[in-house]
Amino acid sequence: MSVRILALVGSLRAGSHNRQLAEAAVKHAPANAAVEVFEGLADVPFYNEDIDVEGSVPAAAARLREAAGEADAFLLFSPEYNGTMPAVLKNAIDWLSRPYGAGALTGKQVAVVGTAFGQFGGVWAQDDARKSVGIAGGAVLEDVKLSIPGSVTRFAETHPADDAEVVASLTEVIRRVAEQPVAAA
């Protein structure tokens, strides 16, 4: 049986290198894992407890929670915006953290990876995402990391799925996420 890994991409841009990295994860996932990219983060409203009411949760947020509930583990792809993770990724984490102590992330393995233009590949953003998702209840794989620097030049003419070094590293990340999924609490 394959481990179901839900990928959340923190960039909404059509040509996003993080989106391409997520596509590479889908394409090159090892046989024991199935990676699915969640579509629709742009439609999820900002988290607000006033609208997070049973029976009237916005449809886009409900779809996110449903997809996350069906996942065994998560792979977050984060670019770096002004030294931290993008709002769309933080918002997804906020929605998935509720209800408090029993959200869709609770007890499930999470790895955070990504690429960014800068020389460190977005490590600050990825560290912030790890912190946030850990507080939200995810079982963060702190030692499973992949930060690819210089995305604009590195992927100018090559899709991440066609970069042998990236594929090898990404496949190892997915293997580690799928290795021992934690049972949800």
Side-chain angles (χ1 to χ4, degrees), residues 7-23:
L8 303 177
V9 180
S11 175
L12 302 177
R13 192 171 58 84
S16 162
H17 294 122
N18 280 282
R19 173 63 185 214
Q20 292 176 1
L21 194 59
E23 292 166 356

Side-chain angles (χ1 to χ4, degrees), residues 23-113:
E23 292 166 356
V26 170
K27 181 177 180 179
H28 294 289
N32 67 332
V35 178
E36 175 190 345
V37 178
F38 181 79
E39 302 292 348
L41 284 185
D43 301 325
V44 178
F46 283 116
Y47 184 79
N48 176 343
E49 280 187 276
D50 291 342
I51 62 172
D52 188 7
V53 178
E54 190 172 336
S56 63
V57 172
R63 281 192 304 277
L64 173 62
R65 284 181 173 165
E66 181 180 347
E70 294 171 357
D72 299 312
F74 297 89
L75 189 53
L76 278 53
F77 293 84
S78 184
E80 191 166 274
Y81 293 176
N82 299 311
T84 192
M85 73 177 123
V88 68
L89 188 55
K90 176 64 169 76
N91 190 49
I93 293 168
D94 289 345
W95 276 102
L96 296 176
S97 73
R98 305 298 177 152
Y100 181 75
L105 294 166
T106 302
K108 295 181 182 180
Q109 290 191 163
V110 182
V112 181
V113 300

Side-chain angles (χ1 to χ4, degrees), residues 55-183:
S56 63
V57 172
R63 281 192 304 277
L64 173 62
R65 284 181 173 165
E66 181 180 347
E70 294 171 357
D72 299 312
F74 297 89
L75 189 53
L76 278 53
F77 293 84
S78 184
E80 191 166 274
Y81 293 176
N82 299 311
T84 192
M85 73 177 123
V88 68
L89 188 55
K90 176 64 169 76
N91 190 49
I93 293 168
D94 289 345
W95 276 102
L96 296 176
S97 73
R98 305 298 177 152
Y100 181 75
L105 294 166
T106 302
K108 295 181 182 180
Q109 290 191 163
V110 182
V112 181
V113 300
T115 185
F117 176 65
Q119 65 182 339
F120 301 112
V123 294
W124 290 348
Q126 293 162 31
D127 286 346
D128 285 349
R130 282 184 200 91
K131 176 184 173 188
S132 184
V133 79
I135 291 169
V140 178
L141 300 172
E142 294 287 348
D143 63 333
V144 178
K145 298 179 179 181
L146 177 59
S147 301
I148 305 166
S151 61
V152 173
T153 54
R154 181 164 191 161
F155 303 125
E157 296 181 23
T158 303
H159 191 286
D162 300 323
D163 182 314
E165 180 184 10
V166 168
V167 168
S169 297
L170 188 56
T171 301
E172 177 62 13
V173 165
I174 299 165
R175 185 192 66 73
R176 294 279 310 278
V177 170
E179 196 169 68
Q180 299 175 347
V182 178

